[in-house]
Amino acid sequence: MKNRLWLLPAVALGGGFGVNALADDTPLSYGQLERLLNSAEDYGFNRYEKLDADHDDNRFEIEGWRADGWELDVSMTLNDGTLTRESQRKSIAPDWGLTREELDAALSKARAGGMQHFAELEVDSNGHVEIEGYNAQQAQFELDLHRDELNSEHLDSGSENG
């Protein structure tokens, strides 16, 4: 199991994105994220590839799949989850997409590591999961982990005797 965690001062980020800009952006809290993910589930998502909170455009973007295999790419408003754009195409949901349970486990690991506000999550076809956000001091937070660390069998096996 290999977790990497980086904390960088927000003022070190490119594009002039400093601590004051972050404070004005009102980062996405866990409560807001939970409401948006519930809206995504209501829309039909059951596997996730990418989540991205864009404060400049008041937009939350989600890429993933429905249970019937349709690939979904939608945008919602950050404040209330209103659907603003959607794209669908027939596909086959890959094994490497995160289930809601795995997504929640990844976010729990990030929170336990110090992430207070969410910015982005992405998983690739190799199972590499990258989470970005901000800690309580508004420094950039990044966590890299592998999808295998998130399934219930792996989590349960760590507590078994044998």
Side-chain angles (χ1 to χ4, degrees):
M1 176 185 333
K2 182 169 86 171
N3 289 342
R4 291 183 296 184
L5 175 67
W6 295 282
L7 297 175
L8 304 170
V11 294
L13 298 174
F17 187 78
V19 174
N20 290 337
L22 177 62
D24 292 342
D25 255 352
T26 313
L28 193 61
S29 70
Y30 277 94
Q32 290 171 299
L33 180 58
E34 182 70 22
R35 285 189 296 278
L36 291 167
L37 290 174
N38 288 341
S39 292
E41 267 188 351
D42 291 344
Y43 187 73
F45 279 91
N46 79 332
R47 289 211 173 257
Y48 300 85
E49 177 181 9
K50 184 175 183 178
L51 307 174
D52 187 11
D54 183 344
H55 295 284
D56 292 335
D57 293 331
N58 186 38
R59 184 176 65 222
F60 186 65
E61 295 184 12
I62 308 167
E63 295 176 21
W65 295 267
R66 287 193 320 225
D68 62 6
W70 281 81
E71 186 174 355
L72 305 173
D73 183 356
V74 302
S75 290
M76 302 175 172
T77 58
L78 281 173
N79 53 343
D80 65 4
T82 300
L83 192 65
T84 59
R85 179 190 57 80
E86 76 174 276
S87 172
Q88 298 183 27
R89 74 180 178 102
K90 187 65 176 164
S91 181
I92 297 173
D95 292 346
W96 53 265
L98 296 180
T99 64
R100 178 64 190 264
E101 180 180 88
E102 292 166 333
L103 179 61
D104 288 343
L107 293 170
S108 290
K109 282 182 176 267
R111 191 173 197 176
M115 187 173 84
Q116 297 291 311
H117 301 285
F118 176 84
E120 184 175 357
L121 178 143
E122 190 165 1
V123 60
D124 66 20
S125 60
N126 294 320
H128 174 253
V129 180
E130 184 176 301
I131 305 171
E132 297 178 8
Y134 299 92
N135 68 11
Q137 292 75 38
Q138 298 182 347
Q140 185 177 5
F141 173 98
E142 292 185 17
L143 175 64
D144 286 339
L145 44 96
H146 196 273
R147 183 178 172 269
D148 291 344
E149 298 173 48
L150 305 174
N151 67 46
S152 58
E153 287 178 16
H154 179 81
L155 296 173
D156 292 342
S157 68
S159 62
E160 291 178 4
N161 295 325

